[in-house]
Amino acid sequence: ITELTPAFMTGHDKDPARQADWQAAAEDRLNWGGDVVGGWYLRGTGFASVQVVACSANRIRPTIPCPVGPQP
């Protein structure tokens, strides 16, 4: 996200404090096994999209394992 900052369309999205808050929330969510999705309009007609899927036990159906399996 930080590397894309100069291309963000709005000052709101470029705000370092806002980015830090988003990154902290994303890290927190990943730490408890949640997924993270974000999107930002870029100058021109571009759109940056980020998706990080945590491969952890399913909170609703804990008997469903991660399809990747445990990693060494």
Side-chain angles (χ1 to χ4, degrees):
I1 305 307
T2 304
E3 292 176 16
L4 292 173
T5 298
F8 286 170
M9 184 179 287
T10 68
H12 177 74
D13 288 336
K14 292 178 183 181
D15 179 20
R18 179 173 162 75
Q19 287 184 15
D21 288 346
W22 186 88
Q23 291 173 358
E27 184 175 349
D28 182 56
R29 185 171 297 138
L30 289 169
N31 282 332
W32 59 254
D35 301 335
V36 175
V37 176
W40 299 265
Y41 285 100
L42 307 176
R43 285 179 279 138
T45 59
F47 186 80
S49 179
V50 173
Q51 299 85 30
V52 181
V53 177
C55 194
S56 57
N58 188 307
R59 289 177 173 241
I60 296 170
R61 295 189 180 113
T63 58
I64 300 174
C66 173
V68 176
Q71 300 298 308

